[in-house]
Amino acid sequence: MKQSQLNYPTLLKMAAAVMLATGPMVAVAGMPDLQPNAAARHYAADTDRMIVKYRAAATSGKQGAMAAPMSSSRMAFAARAGQQLGVTMKAARTTATGAQVFELDRKMSVKDVAALAADLKARDPSVEYAEPDRMLQALMTPTDSRYNEQWHYFEAAGGLRLPAAWDQSTGVGVTVAVIDTGFRPHPDLAANLLPGYDFISNASVANDGGGRDADATDTGDSLIANQCGFGRPAQNTNSSWHGTHVAGTIAARTNNGVGVAGVAFNAKVVPARVLGKCGGYTSDIADAIIWSSGGAVAGVPANANPARVINLSLGGPGTCDTTTQTAINGARARGSIVIVAAGNDNTDASGFTPANCAGVTTVAAVNRSGGRAWYSNYGAVIDVAAPGGDTQVNANGILSTHNAGTTTPGADSYSYQQGTSMAAPHVAGVAALMIAKKPSVTVDELESRLKSTTRAFAAACNGCGTGVVDATAAVLAMGGTVTPPPPTTDPLLRTEVEPNNGMSSANIVATSGTTVQGSMGSWSDTDIFLVQLPPGKTLSSTLIPGSANADYDLLVYGANGGLLGKSENGPGATDAVSVTNYNSTTMARYVRVVYYSGGTGAVGGKYSLKLSW
């Protein structure tokens, strides 16, 4: 039977009671080990691809980019450039920006491919730009730990100040794109997932038997030693299920009595799979950014759910390349804010992409004490900080949805991890709350409000932006004061008046047949109505939720506060309770509406309550 009076601490205790063991975790490809100054240990040191943009190609837009034809003269220039390093190349595909991806016949260092690109541009005057198609990785320092609370949402020092923000917004109507390893259909997440796309164009990286397709499911990214090049990795590594963890932080189901809460638990997630074995190519990531924001990508069906927020918990060393910057510029122009993890190398983030790209919101990580997490990158390119956790002490990590499989998918589970990958989705979730509060907000205003409403660091965090993101302050900065409904001339129709959370402040309903129009302002809201029921009369109470996903319960109490009847039907269902006054005198009856799950606020939390006797 449902419990009608759930509160947030209760949910946390429930989550702790159902947490599943995830098994030992080891370093994901491309991430530093738990040692300082490990910035050079990225698998992105090698690539077998190059991106070339020819001047004849049109720029990216809603109608898609037109690829410049690969003439024999262009291929000849490419062949001569390759001869300098003893490499041959072939044209593989065209990106959404109109650039050409060349495949090399072997892996080379990014430095050598950059030299090859420069040589080609010098030889061929029709080349607008040429650059390595680098492999980027998920920005996570994984760990094998267990925790019993999501401190990162509510603790004063290192938390997000999130619960009070939920009184204002839960992310209803906002879509967030998670550009990552794909997703697992975790039961604590699946209801908030929208159709995504697998952008991995290389079959061996994809690890799912093919290239691009409409299935963004994460099949695993485990590696054997040296699979990505000598010493990369140094030992076998388990699958990371990184995208599922990130998506759970943003939009895990909440108030369902199990598992974990999401920052914007009524938002939706569009997963775009770009990371697989050894990481993901820049060209694939750029296409995913364009598609996620509503832009056109040749050969890929249009995204039916363009994202207002894009989360990139990935990266690698180097400057921001033209391919990625062009994609980000297009996403911003289409109204999408791009949230990027700063990186986990304990060094200046200016040396890492896409953290150093223009127009992104770059996020550093704080620990439970509210200071810079030891691994977090820092510097002038950082905009804000958010909880990233620190699993050197087991109780201090970030808890989210995960999978127990070590190579291929296993049982759905929960995992505690640390990294700027964990910090970025906290900010992406807050951005979704802000947009839901004020849908007309621009990208520039959103970024400005995120930065101006941060709170001071509780401990040292030099080079961590303006402060720790404050969810409550950020959402309140969106304004959007609720407009009360116009007065009605119907004597049997009235509007709920707050505050009415207790018997002493109950709204009085004096006329039989009255229909009250009310709303659940937040997950902790309760509305109470007082009826003076004459002797021998039966009070019929009927509660109709305002949406199919709203689940509110109906309870009726006597004058002394004793429960006389209740109805606890599921989402979208009508609840009804009837109680009779068998006394010889008029008796007070208190009718109570309680939030259980679903929408909140003046729009999403609507209900009607009819009282007759």
Side-chain angles (χ1 to χ4, degrees):
M1 182 174 292
K2 292 195 304 185
Q3 297 298 315
S4 299
Q5 300 181 59
L6 293 179
N7 54 39
Y8 194 69
T10 301
L11 289 174
L12 291 171
K13 292 176 182 176
M14 290 180 176
V18 297
M19 291 172 189
L20 305 176
T22 61
M25 296 294 293
V26 292
V28 171
M31 292 302 95
D33 56 19
L34 299 181
Q35 299 175 15
N37 303 319
R41 301 178 185 181
H42 285 268
Y43 297 7
D46 293 345
T47 184
D48 56 359
R49 289 189 180 188
M50 181 172 64
I51 302 170
V52 180
K53 176 73 180 301
Y54 290 98
R55 298 184 191 282
T59 58
S60 175
K62 272 301 233 185
Q63 303 304 316
M66 295 297 295
M70 286 305 300
S71 63
S72 57
S73 62
R74 284 176 173 166
M75 289 304 300
F77 280 126
R80 285 196 292 273
Q83 288 173 359
Q84 304 301 308
L85 292 174
V87 63
T88 60
M89 65 185 90
K90 63 179 181 180
R93 69 177 188 86
T94 304
T95 72
T97 62
Q100 184 67 50
V101 176
F102 282 94
E103 288 186 353
L104 313 183
D105 63 351
R106 58 185 171 85
K107 283 187 177 292
M108 301 167 57
S109 70
V110 169
K111 181 179 179 181
D112 286 344
V113 177
L116 174 61
D119 186 67
L120 174 59
K121 187 175 188 304
R123 292 174 181 273
D124 187 348
S126 69
V127 173
E128 180 179 332
Y129 65 82
E131 57 197 10
D133 193 356
R134 290 177 290 191
M135 292 283 282
L136 303 183
Q137 286 78 38
L139 290 176
M140 177 181 63
T141 306
T143 178
D144 177 20
S145 304
R146 299 183 61 83
Y147 309 91
N148 61 7
E149 291 185 334
Q150 288 178 285
W151 60 268
H152 36 103
Y153 288 172
F154 55 82
E155 284 194 353
L160 205 61
R161 283 196 67 205
L162 183 58
W166 287 332
D167 290 341
Q168 301 290 323
S169 175
T170 59
V172 174
V174 182
T175 299
V176 182
V178 174
I179 299 178
D180 215 290
T181 65
F183 74 96
R184 294 306 309 162
H186 196 290
D188 208 9
L189 175 63
N192 282 340
L193 293 174
L194 295 172
Y197 204 82
D198 183 353
F199 281 89
I200 301 177
S201 57
N202 180 285
S204 62
V205 174
N207 190 39
D208 60 2
R212 290 184 171 184
D213 55 51
D215 184 2
T217 305
D218 189 347
T219 55
D221 55 4
S222 63
L223 298 168
I224 59 174
N226 304 311
Q227 187 169 353
C228 303
F230 183 74
R232 305 176 185 142
Q235 58 186 2
N236 296 354
T237 66
N238 291 347
S239 289
S240 68
W241 316 115
H242 188 267
T244 299
H245 196 278
V246 168
T249 295
I250 294 170
R253 294 179 64 210
T254 302
N255 291 332
N256 59 347
V258 297
V260 295
V263 173
F265 55 79
N266 278 325
K268 301 296 183 182
V269 168
V270 169
R273 186 172 184 245
V274 298
L275 302 178
K277 296 277 191 177
C278 302
Y281 284 104
T282 295
S283 54
D284 291 340
I285 295 168
D287 278 2
I289 294 171
I290 291 169
W291 178 86
S292 295
S293 61
V297 178
V300 179
N303 178 11
N305 303 285
R308 292 290 305 274
V309 185
I310 295 174
N311 189 92
L312 292 171
S313 288
L314 51 79
T319 58
C320 181
D321 49 76
T322 306
T323 299
T324 301
Q325 189 63 67
T326 301
I328 290 169
N329 293 347
R332 285 180 57 89
R334 286 182 284 272
S336 302
I337 185 172
V338 182
I339 310 295
V340 179
N344 304 327
D345 295 276
N346 187 29
T347 191
D348 197 313
S350 63
F352 293 82
T353 186
N356 55 15
C357 292
V360 302
T361 301
T362 302
V363 184
V366 295
N367 55 31
R368 193 168 184 173
S369 299
R372 184 173 69 88
W374 67 270
Y375 52 79
S376 178
N377 287 354
Y378 51 83
V381 301
I382 303 296
D383 294 293
V384 294
D390 184 348
T391 55
Q392 290 178 310
V393 176
N394 284 345
N396 298 343
I398 304 298
L399 173 65
S400 187
T401 48
H402 209 246
N403 191 276
T406 56
T407 54
T408 57
D412 297 304
S413 65
Y414 299 90
S415 176
Y416 308 87
Q417 300 180 9
Q418 68 178 25
T420 55
S421 274
M422 283 64 256
H426 281 81
V427 180
V430 172
L433 297 180
M434 297 168 71
I435 293 169
K437 180 74 171 177
K438 184 182 178 182
S440 62
V441 64
T442 65
V443 175
D444 286 341
E445 182 184 358
L446 199 62
E447 292 172 332
S448 175
R449 296 295 186 185
L450 270 171
K451 295 169 69 173
S452 65
T453 56
T454 55
R455 70 175 190 275
F457 297 105
C461 198
N462 296 326
C464 295
T466 61
V468 181
V469 166
D470 185 321
T472 298
V475 172
L476 289 175
M478 290 296 96
T481 303
V482 176
T483 302
T488 176
T489 57
D490 185 348
L492 296 182
L493 186 65
R494 60 169 294 181
T495 302
E496 170 219 354
V497 178
E498 290 281 0
N500 60 345
N501 294 356
M503 289 184 174
S504 62
S505 60
N507 288 181
I508 298 173
V509 178
T511 305
S512 177
T514 296
T515 296
V516 181
Q517 295 177 330
S519 64
M520 290 281 92
S522 70
W523 60 270
S524 62
D525 197 12
T526 183
D527 296 333
I528 300 178
F529 305 89
L530 170 60
V531 172
Q532 295 292 347
L533 186 62
K537 293 289 187 178
T538 297
L539 170 62
S540 297
S541 308
T542 304
L543 173 65
I544 303 174
S547 64
N549 72 331
D551 186 355
Y552 311 142
D553 296 330
L554 182 63
L555 304 93
V556 180
Y557 300 84
N560 61 358
L563 182 64
L564 301 179
K566 65 180 178 178
S567 177
E568 298 178 329
N569 294 327
T574 297
D575 287 288
V577 177
S578 295
V579 296
T580 301
N581 179 11
Y582 295 106
N583 297 283
S584 58
T585 58
T586 297
M587 300 296 292
R589 295 293 181 258
Y590 294 91
V591 181
R592 183 183 181 202
V593 180
V594 181
Y595 178 89
Y596 183 78
S597 68
T600 59
V603 177
K606 288 182 178 179
Y607 67 82
S608 64
L609 174 66
K610 185 172 183 178
L611 301 172
S612 301
W613 57 91

